Amino acid sequence: MSVDLSFYRSRTSQRLRAEGRAEGRVEGRIEGRTEGLFEGRVEGRVEGRVEEVIDKTLRLLEARGIDIPDSAREHMQTCTDLDVLDRWFDRAISAADIHEVLAE
């Protein structure tokens, strides 16, 4: 028994496949942009939180009169781990010097 498959090579069939592919690309682009925007917002919030904690920790130490050498300041400003930054902030509240704040 033979099956006529010529329909799958017809112009109509080719046009429908092309339309489906084009529609799929558009949907994929929209979905990709949406995911990208969401991820960008999340990253931006995290970066903003990191900068905020660093700034507040440095301001707290300065207000308490604790000397912050340039090397320690740079070390703090390059840290991106919020857990570490929060720990440093907590220590800055009562630490006697910068070494107590940055101790591992």
Side-chain angles (χ1 to χ4, degrees), residues 15 38 82 85 103:
R15 181 181 53 78
F38 177 76
L82 273 173
L85 293 169

Side-chain angles (χ1 to χ4, degrees), residues 33-80:
R33 285 185 187 129
T34 302
E35 286 179 24
L37 286 171
F38 177 76
E39 289 174 10
R41 285 186 187 129
V42 169
E43 287 176 18
R45 286 184 186 133
V46 170
E47 289 173 9
R49 175 84 169 104
V50 164
E51 290 174 12
E52 178 185 26
V53 174
I54 292 168
D55 181 57
K56 290 191 183 301
T57 303
L58 291 170
R59 286 177 44 207
L60 174 61
L61 291 168
E62 289 167 355
R64 294 190 59 232
I66 294 179
D67 184 47
I68 309 167
D70 289 341
S71 61
R73 184 180 298 273
E74 184 176 332
H75 179 63
M76 293 176 78
Q77 290 174 328
T78 58
C79 181
T80 58

